[in-house]
PDB file of all heavy atoms in Angstrom:
ATOM      1  N   SER A   1      -4.846 -29.410  43.234  1.00  0.00           N
ATOM      2  CA  SER A   1      -4.880 -30.195  42.015  1.00  0.00           C
ATOM      3  C   SER A   1      -3.543 -30.338  41.340  1.00  0.00           C
ATOM      4  O   SER A   1      -2.542 -29.584  41.684  1.00  0.00           O
ATOM      5  CB  SER A   1      -5.820 -29.560  40.998  1.00  0.00           C
ATOM      6  OG  SER A   1      -5.289 -28.372  40.444  1.00  0.00           O
ATOM      7  N   PRO A   2      -3.240 -31.335  40.428  1.00  0.00           N
ATOM      8  CA  PRO A   2      -2.020 -31.439  39.781  1.00  0.00           C
ATOM      9  C   PRO A   2      -1.565 -30.130  39.125  1.00  0.00           C
ATOM     10  O   PRO A   2      -0.397 -29.701  39.205  1.00  0.00           O
ATOM     11  CB  PRO A   2      -2.208 -32.536  38.774  1.00  0.00           C
ATOM     12  CG  PRO A   2      -3.336 -33.394  39.406  1.00  0.00           C
ATOM     13  CD  PRO A   2      -4.267 -32.395  40.103  1.00  0.00           C
ATOM     14  N   GLU A   3      -2.471 -29.431  38.453  1.00  0.00           N
ATOM     15  CA  GLU A   3      -2.201 -28.204  37.781  1.00  0.00           C
ATOM     16  C   GLU A   3      -1.763 -27.076  38.845  1.00  0.00           C
ATOM     17  O   GLU A   3      -0.849 -26.386  38.582  1.00  0.00           O
ATOM     18  CB  GLU A   3      -3.426 -27.670  36.924  1.00  0.00           C
ATOM     19  CG  GLU A   3      -3.084 -26.450  36.140  1.00  0.00           C
ATOM     20  CD  GLU A   3      -4.333 -25.942  35.424  1.00  0.00           C
ATOM     21  OE1 GLU A   3      -5.456 -26.435  35.643  1.00  0.00           O
ATOM     22  OE2 GLU A   3      -4.196 -25.070  34.583  1.00  0.00           O
ATOM     23  N   GLY A   4      -2.525 -27.046  39.894  1.00  0.00           N
ATOM     24  CA  GLY A   4      -2.259 -26.096  40.938  1.00  0.00           C
ATOM     25  C   GLY A   4      -0.988 -26.275  41.709  1.00  0.00           C
ATOM     26  O   GLY A   4      -0.220 -25.332  41.941  1.00  0.00           O
ATOM     27  N   ARG A   5      -0.572 -27.567  41.870  1.00  0.00           N
ATOM     28  CA  ARG A   5       0.679 -27.857  42.508  1.00  0.00           C
ATOM     29  C   ARG A   5       1.863 -27.609  41.598  1.00  0.00           C
ATOM     30  O   ARG A   5       2.928 -27.239  42.059  1.00  0.00           O
ATOM     31  CB  ARG A   5       0.752 -29.322  43.026  1.00  0.00           C
ATOM     32  CG  ARG A   5      -0.174 -29.550  44.119  1.00  0.00           C
ATOM     33  CD  ARG A   5       0.134 -30.953  44.746  1.00  0.00           C
ATOM     34  NE  ARG A   5      -0.122 -32.063  43.918  1.00  0.00           N
ATOM     35  CZ  ARG A   5      -1.151 -32.619  43.687  1.00  0.00           C
ATOM     36  NH1 ARG A   5      -2.308 -32.356  44.430  1.00  0.00           N
ATOM     37  NH2 ARG A   5      -1.261 -33.682  42.836  1.00  0.00           N
ATOM     38  N   LEU A   6       1.542 -27.775  40.216  1.00  0.00           N
ATOM     39  CA  LEU A   6       2.667 -27.546  39.267  1.00  0.00           C
ATOM     40  C   LEU A   6       3.033 -26.117  39.146  1.00  0.00           C
ATOM     41  O   LEU A   6       4.250 -25.756  39.094  1.00  0.00           O
ATOM     42  CB  LEU A   6       2.242 -28.087  37.884  1.00  0.00           C
ATOM     43  CG  LEU A   6       3.287 -27.916  36.813  1.00  0.00           C
ATOM     44  CD1 LEU A   6       4.525 -28.769  37.070  1.00  0.00           C
ATOM     45  CD2 LEU A   6       2.614 -28.332  35.449  1.00  0.00           C
ATOM     46  N   ASP A   7       2.056 -25.191  39.185  1.00  0.00           N
ATOM     47  CA  ASP A   7       2.341 -23.767  39.045  1.00  0.00           C
ATOM     48  C   ASP A   7       1.280 -22.959  39.794  1.00  0.00           C
ATOM     49  O   ASP A   7       0.377 -22.377  39.185  1.00  0.00           O
ATOM     50  CB  ASP A   7       2.338 -23.397  37.555  1.00  0.00           C
ATOM     51  CG  ASP A   7       2.982 -22.096  37.258  1.00  0.00           C
ATOM     52  OD1 ASP A   7       3.373 -21.362  38.203  1.00  0.00           O
ATOM     53  OD2 ASP A   7       3.296 -21.793  36.099  1.00  0.00           O
ATOM     54  N   PRO A   8       1.485 -22.938  41.097  1.00  0.00           N
ATOM     55  CA  PRO A   8       0.562 -22.315  41.957  1.00  0.00           C
ATOM     56  C   PRO A   8       0.327 -20.718  41.783  1.00  0.00           C
ATOM     57  O   PRO A   8      -0.667 -20.173  42.176  1.00  0.00           O
ATOM     58  CB  PRO A   8       0.958 -22.586  43.384  1.00  0.00           C
ATOM     59  CG  PRO A   8       2.480 -22.774  43.297  1.00  0.00           C
ATOM     60  CD  PRO A   8       2.629 -23.417  41.937  1.00  0.00           C
ATOM     61  N   TYR A   9       1.350 -20.134  41.147  1.00  0.00           N
ATOM     62  CA  TYR A   9       1.389 -18.723  41.001  1.00  0.00           C
ATOM     63  C   TYR A   9       0.774 -18.164  39.700  1.00  0.00           C
ATOM     64  O   TYR A   9       0.763 -17.044  39.398  1.00  0.00           O
ATOM     65  CB  TYR A   9       2.792 -18.141  41.138  1.00  0.00           C
ATOM     66  CG  TYR A   9       3.312 -18.234  42.559  1.00  0.00           C
ATOM     67  CD1 TYR A   9       4.669 -18.226  42.721  1.00  0.00           C
ATOM     68  CD2 TYR A   9       2.506 -18.408  43.671  1.00  0.00           C
ATOM     69  CE1 TYR A   9       5.200 -18.336  44.082  1.00  0.00           C
ATOM     70  CE2 TYR A   9       3.016 -18.499  44.951  1.00  0.00           C
ATOM     71  CZ  TYR A   9       4.367 -18.515  45.160  1.00  0.00           C
ATOM     72  OH  TYR A   9       4.856 -18.590  46.413  1.00  0.00           O
ATOM     73  N   ASP A  10       0.420 -19.193  38.797  1.00  0.00           N
ATOM     74  CA  ASP A  10      -0.066 -18.711  37.522  1.00  0.00           C
ATOM     75  C   ASP A  10      -1.434 -19.491  37.109  1.00  0.00           C
ATOM     76  O   ASP A  10      -1.466 -20.307  36.200  1.00  0.00           O
ATOM     77  CB  ASP A  10       1.013 -19.040  36.423  1.00  0.00           C
ATOM     78  CG  ASP A  10       0.818 -18.276  35.119  1.00  0.00           C
ATOM     79  OD1 ASP A  10      -0.113 -17.397  35.163  1.00  0.00           O
ATOM     80  OD2 ASP A  10       1.517 -18.506  34.187  1.00  0.00           O
ATOM     81  N   PRO A  11      -2.497 -19.241  37.803  1.00  0.00           N
ATOM     82  CA  PRO A  11      -3.668 -19.951  37.666  1.00  0.00           C
ATOM     83  C   PRO A  11      -4.413 -19.486  36.404  1.00  0.00           C
ATOM     84  O   PRO A  11      -4.294 -18.371  35.966  1.00  0.00           O
ATOM     85  CB  PRO A  11      -4.620 -19.560  38.864  1.00  0.00           C
ATOM     86  CG  PRO A  11      -4.052 -18.160  39.283  1.00  0.00           C
ATOM     87  CD  PRO A  11      -2.584 -18.212  39.004  1.00  0.00           C
ATOM     88  N   PRO A  12      -5.194 -20.469  35.724  1.00  0.00           N
ATOM     89  CA  PRO A  12      -5.877 -20.127  34.515  1.00  0.00           C
ATOM     90  C   PRO A  12      -7.273 -19.479  34.932  1.00  0.00           C
ATOM     91  O   PRO A  12      -7.581 -19.284  36.068  1.00  0.00           O
ATOM     92  CB  PRO A  12      -6.077 -21.452  33.929  1.00  0.00           C
ATOM     93  CG  PRO A  12      -6.278 -22.391  35.025  1.00  0.00           C
ATOM     94  CD  PRO A  12      -5.244 -21.803  36.119  1.00  0.00           C
ATOM     95  N   LEU A  13      -8.005 -19.167  33.912  1.00  0.00           N
ATOM     96  CA  LEU A  13      -9.384 -18.737  34.086  1.00  0.00           C
ATOM     97  C   LEU A  13     -10.310 -19.868  34.455  1.00  0.00           C
ATOM     98  O   LEU A  13     -10.021 -20.994  34.027  1.00  0.00           O
ATOM     99  CB  LEU A  13      -9.902 -18.087  32.742  1.00  0.00           C
ATOM    100  CG  LEU A  13      -9.255 -16.799  32.322  1.00  0.00           C
ATOM    101  CD1 LEU A  13      -9.946 -16.215  30.973  1.00  0.00           C
ATOM    102  CD2 LEU A  13      -9.240 -15.641  33.348  1.00  0.00           C
ATOM    103  N   THR A  14     -11.383 -19.539  35.070  1.00  0.00           N
ATOM    104  CA  THR A  14     -12.438 -20.532  35.195  1.00  0.00           C
ATOM    105  C   THR A  14     -13.336 -20.426  33.987  1.00  0.00           C
ATOM    106  O   THR A  14     -13.232 -19.625  33.110  1.00  0.00           O
ATOM    107  CB  THR A  14     -13.310 -20.124  36.481  1.00  0.00           C
ATOM    108  OG1 THR A  14     -13.897 -18.853  36.225  1.00  0.00           O
ATOM    109  CG2 THR A  14     -12.534 -20.079  37.731  1.00  0.00           C
ATOM    110  N   ALA A  15     -14.290 -21.330  33.887  1.00  0.00           N
ATOM    111  CA  ALA A  15     -15.258 -21.283  32.867  1.00  0.00           C
ATOM    112  C   ALA A  15     -16.064 -19.894  32.833  1.00  0.00           C
ATOM    113  O   ALA A  15     -16.278 -19.394  31.721  1.00  0.00           O
ATOM    114  CB  ALA A  15     -16.281 -22.449  32.981  1.00  0.00           C
ATOM    115  N   ARG A  16     -16.354 -19.488  34.018  1.00  0.00           N
ATOM    116  CA  ARG A  16     -16.987 -18.178  34.111  1.00  0.00           C
ATOM    117  C   ARG A  16     -15.994 -17.130  33.596  1.00  0.00           C
ATOM    118  O   ARG A  16     -16.416 -16.126  33.001  1.00  0.00           O
ATOM    119  CB  ARG A  16     -17.344 -17.820  35.525  1.00  0.00           C
ATOM    120  CG  ARG A  16     -17.963 -16.396  35.804  1.00  0.00           C
ATOM    121  CD  ARG A  16     -18.381 -16.138  37.206  1.00  0.00           C
ATOM    122  NE  ARG A  16     -19.473 -16.945  37.548  1.00  0.00           N
ATOM    123  CZ  ARG A  16     -20.038 -16.819  38.744  1.00  0.00           C
ATOM    124  NH1 ARG A  16     -19.604 -16.008  39.658  1.00  0.00           N
ATOM    125  NH2 ARG A  16     -21.117 -17.619  39.056  1.00  0.00           N
ATOM    126  N   GLY A  17     -14.694 -17.185  33.946  1.00  0.00           N
ATOM    127  CA  GLY A  17     -13.733 -16.230  33.428  1.00  0.00           C
ATOM    128  C   GLY A  17     -13.581 -16.182  31.938  1.00  0.00           C
ATOM    129  O   GLY A  17     -13.487 -15.095  31.307  1.00  0.00           O
ATOM    130  N   PHE A  18     -13.718 -17.402  31.292  1.00  0.00           N
ATOM    131  CA  PHE A  18     -13.712 -17.401  29.753  1.00  0.00           C
ATOM    132  C   PHE A  18     -14.912 -16.690  29.225  1.00  0.00           C
ATOM    133  O   PHE A  18     -14.820 -16.027  28.235  1.00  0.00           O
ATOM    134  CB  PHE A  18     -13.742 -18.903  29.292  1.00  0.00           C
ATOM    135  CG  PHE A  18     -12.270 -19.431  29.275  1.00  0.00           C
ATOM    136  CD1 PHE A  18     -11.803 -20.333  30.247  1.00  0.00           C
ATOM    137  CD2 PHE A  18     -11.414 -19.033  28.274  1.00  0.00           C
ATOM    138  CE1 PHE A  18     -10.591 -20.814  30.166  1.00  0.00           C
ATOM    139  CE2 PHE A  18     -10.052 -19.546  28.208  1.00  0.00           C
ATOM    140  CZ  PHE A  18      -9.645 -20.432  29.109  1.00  0.00           C
ATOM    141  N   GLN A  19     -16.116 -16.854  29.937  1.00  0.00           N
ATOM    142  CA  GLN A  19     -17.279 -16.236  29.445  1.00  0.00           C
ATOM    143  C   GLN A  19     -17.207 -14.779  29.587  1.00  0.00           C
ATOM    144  O   GLN A  19     -17.584 -13.979  28.716  1.00  0.00           O
ATOM    145  CB  GLN A  19     -18.537 -16.790  30.193  1.00  0.00           C
ATOM    146  CG  GLN A  19     -19.893 -16.031  29.826  1.00  0.00           C
ATOM    147  CD  GLN A  19     -20.255 -16.374  28.436  1.00  0.00           C
ATOM    148  OE1 GLN A  19     -19.895 -17.372  27.794  1.00  0.00           O
ATOM    149  NE2 GLN A  19     -21.083 -15.505  27.861  1.00  0.00           N
ATOM    150  N   GLN A  20     -16.679 -14.329  30.711  1.00  0.00           N
ATOM    151  CA  GLN A  20     -16.432 -12.876  30.873  1.00  0.00           C
ATOM    152  C   GLN A  20     -15.599 -12.280  29.885  1.00  0.00           C
ATOM    153  O   GLN A  20     -15.818 -11.201  29.350  1.00  0.00           O
ATOM    154  CB  GLN A  20     -15.849 -12.626  32.354  1.00  0.00           C
ATOM    155  CG  GLN A  20     -16.794 -12.997  33.496  1.00  0.00           C
ATOM    156  CD  GLN A  20     -16.146 -12.966  34.877  1.00  0.00           C
ATOM    157  OE1 GLN A  20     -14.870 -13.258  34.903  1.00  0.00           O
ATOM    158  NE2 GLN A  20     -16.801 -12.637  35.887  1.00  0.00           N
ATOM    159  N   ALA A  21     -14.491 -12.997  29.580  1.00  0.00           N
ATOM    160  CA  ALA A  21     -13.524 -12.465  28.554  1.00  0.00           C
ATOM    161  C   ALA A  21     -14.218 -12.434  27.109  1.00  0.00           C
ATOM    162  O   ALA A  21     -13.979 -11.477  26.319  1.00  0.00           O
ATOM    163  CB  ALA A  21     -12.285 -13.374  28.478  1.00  0.00           C
ATOM    164  N   HIS A  22     -14.933 -13.440  26.781  1.00  0.00           N
ATOM    165  CA  HIS A  22     -15.677 -13.387  25.549  1.00  0.00           C
ATOM    166  C   HIS A  22     -16.675 -12.165  25.452  1.00  0.00           C
ATOM    167  O   HIS A  22     -16.721 -11.490  24.470  1.00  0.00           O
ATOM    168  CB  HIS A  22     -16.505 -14.629  25.344  1.00  0.00           C
ATOM    169  CG  HIS A  22     -17.301 -14.735  24.080  1.00  0.00           C
ATOM    170  ND1 HIS A  22     -16.704 -14.818  22.818  1.00  0.00           N
ATOM    171  CD2 HIS A  22     -18.630 -14.593  23.855  1.00  0.00           C
ATOM    172  CE1 HIS A  22     -17.710 -14.731  21.869  1.00  0.00           C
ATOM    173  NE2 HIS A  22     -18.853 -14.648  22.545  1.00  0.00           N
ATOM    174  N   GLU A  23     -17.344 -11.947  26.527  1.00  0.00           N
ATOM    175  CA  GLU A  23     -18.322 -10.791  26.638  1.00  0.00           C
ATOM    176  C   GLU A  23     -17.471  -9.461  26.570  1.00  0.00           C
ATOM    177  O   GLU A  23     -18.025  -8.520  25.985  1.00  0.00           O
ATOM    178  CB  GLU A  23     -19.156 -10.877  27.901  1.00  0.00           C
ATOM    179  CG  GLU A  23     -20.195 -11.934  27.771  1.00  0.00           C
ATOM    180  CD  GLU A  23     -20.936 -12.274  29.053  1.00  0.00           C
ATOM    181  OE1 GLU A  23     -20.535 -11.684  30.080  1.00  0.00           O
ATOM    182  OE2 GLU A  23     -21.915 -13.014  29.054  1.00  0.00           O
ATOM    183  N   LEU A  24     -16.371  -9.422  27.099  1.00  0.00           N
ATOM    184  CA  LEU A  24     -15.406  -8.172  26.906  1.00  0.00           C
ATOM    185  C   LEU A  24     -15.200  -8.029  25.483  1.00  0.00           C
ATOM    186  O   LEU A  24     -15.241  -6.818  25.048  1.00  0.00           O
ATOM    187  CB  LEU A  24     -14.168  -8.441  27.731  1.00  0.00           C
ATOM    188  CG  LEU A  24     -13.105  -7.416  27.582  1.00  0.00           C
ATOM    189  CD1 LEU A  24     -13.585  -5.927  28.112  1.00  0.00           C
ATOM    190  CD2 LEU A  24     -11.869  -7.751  28.438  1.00  0.00           C
ATOM    191  N   GLY A  25     -14.840  -9.035  24.829  1.00  0.00           N
ATOM    192  CA  GLY A  25     -14.568  -8.911  23.386  1.00  0.00           C
ATOM    193  C   GLY A  25     -15.818  -8.409  22.545  1.00  0.00           C
ATOM    194  O   GLY A  25     -15.675  -7.516  21.752  1.00  0.00           O
ATOM    195  N   LEU A  26     -16.971  -8.899  22.886  1.00  0.00           N
ATOM    196  CA  LEU A  26     -18.262  -8.420  22.277  1.00  0.00           C
ATOM    197  C   LEU A  26     -18.384  -6.944  22.585  1.00  0.00           C
ATOM    198  O   LEU A  26     -18.776  -6.182  21.718  1.00  0.00           O
ATOM    199  CB  LEU A  26     -19.416  -9.193  22.745  1.00  0.00           C
ATOM    200  CG  LEU A  26     -19.370 -10.669  22.361  1.00  0.00           C
ATOM    201  CD1 LEU A  26     -20.676 -11.386  22.923  1.00  0.00           C
ATOM    202  CD2 LEU A  26     -19.391 -10.843  20.902  1.00  0.00           C
ATOM    203  N   ARG A  27     -18.087  -6.521  23.753  1.00  0.00           N
ATOM    204  CA  ARG A  27     -18.222  -5.071  24.251  1.00  0.00           C
ATOM    205  C   ARG A  27     -17.351  -4.229  23.364  1.00  0.00           C
ATOM    206  O   ARG A  27     -17.674  -2.994  23.117  1.00  0.00           O
ATOM    207  CB  ARG A  27     -17.966  -4.995  25.701  1.00  0.00           C
ATOM    208  CG  ARG A  27     -17.613  -3.505  26.180  1.00  0.00           C
ATOM    209  CD  ARG A  27     -18.808  -2.601  26.086  1.00  0.00           C
ATOM    210  NE  ARG A  27     -18.444  -1.247  26.569  1.00  0.00           N
ATOM    211  CZ  ARG A  27     -17.704  -0.357  25.889  1.00  0.00           C
ATOM    212  NH1 ARG A  27     -17.297  -0.578  24.662  1.00  0.00           N
ATOM    213  NH2 ARG A  27     -17.405   0.822  26.442  1.00  0.00           N
ATOM    214  N   LEU A  28     -16.200  -4.753  22.979  1.00  0.00           N
ATOM    215  CA  LEU A  28     -15.098  -3.954  22.307  1.00  0.00           C
ATOM    216  C   LEU A  28     -15.268  -3.947  20.757  1.00  0.00           C
ATOM    217  O   LEU A  28     -14.394  -3.336  20.107  1.00  0.00           O
ATOM    218  CB  LEU A  28     -13.779  -4.314  22.727  1.00  0.00           C
ATOM    219  CG  LEU A  28     -13.462  -4.064  24.208  1.00  0.00           C
ATOM    220  CD1 LEU A  28     -12.154  -4.796  24.618  1.00  0.00           C
ATOM    221  CD2 LEU A  28     -13.325  -2.555  24.513  1.00  0.00           C
ATOM    222  N   GLN A  29     -16.201  -4.633  20.225  1.00  0.00           N
ATOM    223  CA  GLN A  29     -16.321  -4.828  18.741  1.00  0.00           C
ATOM    224  C   GLN A  29     -16.372  -3.555  18.015  1.00  0.00           C
ATOM    225  O   GLN A  29     -15.875  -3.368  16.883  1.00  0.00           O
ATOM    226  CB  GLN A  29     -17.535  -5.610  18.476  1.00  0.00           C
ATOM    227  CG  GLN A  29     -17.318  -7.151  18.555  1.00  0.00           C
ATOM    228  CD  GLN A  29     -18.464  -7.952  18.100  1.00  0.00           C
ATOM    229  OE1 GLN A  29     -19.668  -7.710  18.605  1.00  0.00           O
ATOM    230  NE2 GLN A  29     -18.346  -8.838  17.259  1.00  0.00           N
ATOM    231  N   GLU A  30     -17.007  -2.481  18.597  1.00  0.00           N
ATOM    232  CA  GLU A  30     -17.193  -1.195  17.879  1.00  0.00           C
ATOM    233  C   GLU A  30     -16.230  -0.109  18.224  1.00  0.00           C
ATOM    234  O   GLU A  30     -16.369   0.965  17.929  1.00  0.00           O
ATOM    235  CB  GLU A  30     -18.629  -0.704  18.044  1.00  0.00           C
ATOM    236  CG  GLU A  30     -19.722  -1.660  17.701  1.00  0.00           C
ATOM    237  CD  GLU A  30     -19.609  -2.134  16.277  1.00  0.00           C
ATOM    238  OE1 GLU A  30     -19.346  -1.259  15.354  1.00  0.00           O
ATOM    239  OE2 GLU A  30     -19.933  -3.383  16.052  1.00  0.00           O
ATOM    240  N   GLU A  31     -15.092  -0.500  18.912  1.00  0.00           N
ATOM    241  CA  GLU A  31     -14.190   0.457  19.427  1.00  0.00           C
ATOM    242  C   GLU A  31     -12.971   0.734  18.582  1.00  0.00           C
ATOM    243  O   GLU A  31     -12.066   1.390  18.915  1.00  0.00           O
ATOM    244  CB  GLU A  31     -13.711   0.138  20.844  1.00  0.00           C
ATOM    245  CG  GLU A  31     -14.836   0.012  21.813  1.00  0.00           C
ATOM    246  CD  GLU A  31     -15.626   1.329  22.174  1.00  0.00           C
ATOM    247  OE1 GLU A  31     -15.090   2.418  21.611  1.00  0.00           O
ATOM    248  OE2 GLU A  31     -16.555   1.371  22.772  1.00  0.00           O
ATOM    249  N   ASN A  32     -12.914   0.066  17.374  1.00  0.00           N
ATOM    250  CA  ASN A  32     -11.852   0.251  16.434  1.00  0.00           C
ATOM    251  C   ASN A  32     -10.414  -0.025  17.062  1.00  0.00           C
ATOM    252  O   ASN A  32      -9.438   0.689  16.859  1.00  0.00           O
ATOM    253  CB  ASN A  32     -11.828   1.700  15.826  1.00  0.00           C
ATOM    254  CG  ASN A  32     -13.103   1.897  15.071  1.00  0.00           C
ATOM    255  OD1 ASN A  32     -13.560   1.125  14.350  1.00  0.00           O
ATOM    256  ND2 ASN A  32     -13.691   3.131  15.278  1.00  0.00           N
ATOM    257  N   ILE A  33     -10.319  -1.073  17.821  1.00  0.00           N
ATOM    258  CA  ILE A  33      -9.040  -1.407  18.499  1.00  0.00           C
ATOM    259  C   ILE A  33      -8.187  -2.143  17.474  1.00  0.00           C
ATOM    260  O   ILE A  33      -8.643  -3.005  16.689  1.00  0.00           O
ATOM    261  CB  ILE A  33      -9.319  -2.378  19.698  1.00  0.00           C
ATOM    262  CG1 ILE A  33      -9.958  -1.568  20.754  1.00  0.00           C
ATOM    263  CG2 ILE A  33      -8.058  -3.161  20.134  1.00  0.00           C
ATOM    264  CD1 ILE A  33     -10.447  -2.296  22.046  1.00  0.00           C
ATOM    265  N   THR A  34      -6.899  -1.650  17.401  1.00  0.00           N
ATOM    266  CA  THR A  34      -5.973  -2.227  16.448  1.00  0.00           C
ATOM    267  C   THR A  34      -4.940  -3.135  17.010  1.00  0.00           C
ATOM    268  O   THR A  34      -4.278  -3.902  16.285  1.00  0.00           O
ATOM    269  CB  THR A  34      -5.361  -1.106  15.625  1.00  0.00           C
ATOM    270  OG1 THR A  34      -4.656  -0.236  16.599  1.00  0.00           O
ATOM    271  CG2 THR A  34      -6.419  -0.326  14.844  1.00  0.00           C
ATOM    272  N   GLN A  35      -4.658  -2.986  18.365  1.00  0.00           N
ATOM    273  CA  GLN A  35      -3.598  -3.737  18.993  1.00  0.00           C
ATOM    274  C   GLN A  35      -4.059  -4.232  20.391  1.00  0.00           C
ATOM    275  O   GLN A  35      -4.760  -3.410  21.153  1.00  0.00           O
ATOM    276  CB  GLN A  35      -2.388  -2.967  19.192  1.00  0.00           C
ATOM    277  CG  GLN A  35      -1.775  -2.237  17.934  1.00  0.00           C
ATOM    278  CD  GLN A  35      -1.059  -3.232  17.097  1.00  0.00           C
ATOM    279  OE1 GLN A  35      -0.686  -4.338  17.533  1.00  0.00           O
ATOM    280  NE2 GLN A  35      -0.712  -2.941  15.844  1.00  0.00           N
ATOM    281  N   ILE A  36      -3.814  -5.401  20.767  1.00  0.00           N
ATOM    282  CA  ILE A  36      -4.105  -5.987  22.099  1.00  0.00           C
ATOM    283  C   ILE A  36      -2.789  -6.380  22.702  1.00  0.00           C
ATOM    284  O   ILE A  36      -1.975  -7.102  22.090  1.00  0.00           O
ATOM    285  CB  ILE A  36      -4.955  -7.268  21.946  1.00  0.00           C
ATOM    286  CG1 ILE A  36      -6.246  -6.858  21.366  1.00  0.00           C
ATOM    287  CG2 ILE A  36      -5.167  -7.736  23.393  1.00  0.00           C
ATOM    288  CD1 ILE A  36      -7.230  -7.994  21.087  1.00  0.00           C
ATOM    289  N   TYR A  37      -2.493  -5.872  23.879  1.00  0.00           N
ATOM    290  CA  TYR A  37      -1.280  -6.290  24.605  1.00  0.00           C
ATOM    291  C   TYR A  37      -1.744  -6.929  25.929  1.00  0.00           C
ATOM    292  O   TYR A  37      -2.768  -6.528  26.518  1.00  0.00           O
ATOM    293  CB  TYR A  37      -0.449  -5.006  25.036  1.00  0.00           C
ATOM    294  CG  TYR A  37       0.354  -4.387  23.943  1.00  0.00           C
ATOM    295  CD1 TYR A  37      -0.169  -3.443  23.054  1.00  0.00           C
ATOM    296  CD2 TYR A  37       1.648  -4.858  23.614  1.00  0.00           C
ATOM    297  CE1 TYR A  37       0.407  -2.854  22.058  1.00  0.00           C
ATOM    298  CE2 TYR A  37       2.382  -4.192  22.595  1.00  0.00           C
ATOM    299  CZ  TYR A  37       1.791  -3.326  21.818  1.00  0.00           C
ATOM    300  OH  TYR A  37       2.468  -2.686  20.742  1.00  0.00           O
ATOM    301  N   SER A  38      -0.949  -7.976  26.378  1.00  0.00           N
ATOM    302  CA  SER A  38      -1.338  -8.681  27.617  1.00  0.00           C
ATOM    303  C   SER A  38      -0.194  -8.885  28.468  1.00  0.00           C
ATOM    304  O   SER A  38       1.004  -9.157  28.017  1.00  0.00           O
ATOM    305  CB  SER A  38      -1.950 -10.064  27.206  1.00  0.00           C
ATOM    306  OG  SER A  38      -2.143 -10.885  28.326  1.00  0.00           O
ATOM    307  N   SER A  39      -0.445  -8.929  29.790  1.00  0.00           N
ATOM    308  CA  SER A  39       0.486  -9.454  30.771  1.00  0.00           C
ATOM    309  C   SER A  39       0.891 -10.886  30.400  1.00  0.00           C
ATOM    310  O   SER A  39       0.061 -11.560  29.797  1.00  0.00           O
ATOM    311  CB  SER A  39      -0.187  -9.407  32.139  1.00  0.00           C
ATOM    312  OG  SER A  39       0.393 -10.299  33.036  1.00  0.00           O
ATOM    313  N   PRO A  40       2.076 -11.346  30.807  1.00  0.00           N
ATOM    314  CA  PRO A  40       2.435 -12.661  30.403  1.00  0.00           C
ATOM    315  C   PRO A  40       1.841 -13.853  31.279  1.00  0.00           C
ATOM    316  O   PRO A  40       2.084 -15.012  31.027  1.00  0.00           O
ATOM    317  CB  PRO A  40       4.017 -12.648  30.649  1.00  0.00           C
ATOM    318  CG  PRO A  40       4.146 -11.637  31.754  1.00  0.00           C
ATOM    319  CD  PRO A  40       3.157 -10.625  31.468  1.00  0.00           C
ATOM    320  N   PHE A  41       0.982 -13.510  32.251  1.00  0.00           N
ATOM    321  CA  PHE A  41       0.361 -14.507  33.091  1.00  0.00           C
ATOM    322  C   PHE A  41      -0.717 -15.190  32.210  1.00  0.00           C
ATOM    323  O   PHE A  41      -1.380 -14.605  31.349  1.00  0.00           O
ATOM    324  CB  PHE A  41      -0.264 -13.877  34.339  1.00  0.00           C
ATOM    325  CG  PHE A  41       0.678 -13.542  35.418  1.00  0.00           C
ATOM    326  CD1 PHE A  41       1.405 -12.424  35.322  1.00  0.00           C
ATOM    327  CD2 PHE A  41       0.925 -14.351  36.534  1.00  0.00           C
ATOM    328  CE1 PHE A  41       2.360 -12.093  36.404  1.00  0.00           C
ATOM    329  CE2 PHE A  41       1.824 -14.142  37.531  1.00  0.00           C
ATOM    330  CZ  PHE A  41       2.576 -12.940  37.491  1.00  0.00           C
ATOM    331  N   ILE A  42      -0.919 -16.523  32.549  1.00  0.00           N
ATOM    332  CA  ILE A  42      -2.011 -17.305  31.720  1.00  0.00           C
ATOM    333  C   ILE A  42      -3.302 -16.735  31.840  1.00  0.00           C
ATOM    334  O   ILE A  42      -3.978 -16.638  30.763  1.00  0.00           O
ATOM    335  CB  ILE A  42      -1.949 -18.857  32.257  1.00  0.00           C
ATOM    336  CG1 ILE A  42      -0.636 -19.475  31.975  1.00  0.00           C
ATOM    337  CG2 ILE A  42      -3.179 -19.503  31.724  1.00  0.00           C
ATOM    338  CD1 ILE A  42      -0.389 -19.602  30.524  1.00  0.00           C
TER     339      ILE A  42
END
């Protein structure tokens, strides 16, 4: 795809990946997290 040819080494999430990430957030709601750090990949 145009996006894939532009940056093949930095793919985004799929729709399922976004849902998984949202559910991860719900799982962590009661864990008193104060800071989130992320790798620089999309």
Side-chain angles (χ1 to χ4, degrees):
S1 70
E3 183 181 14
R5 291 195 299 270
L6 180 64
D7 199 349
Y9 292 157
D10 199 8
L13 296 180
T14 63
R16 175 180 291 186
F18 276 104
Q19 178 64 26
Q20 291 169 331
H22 177 72
E23 291 172 348
L24 174 63
L26 296 178
R27 161 64 180 81
L28 292 169
Q29 278 184 306
E30 305 303 320
E31 301 295 354
N32 298 317
I33 288 172
T34 59
Q35 304 284 344
I36 300 174
Y37 287 88
S38 173
S39 154
F41 284 80
I42 291 296

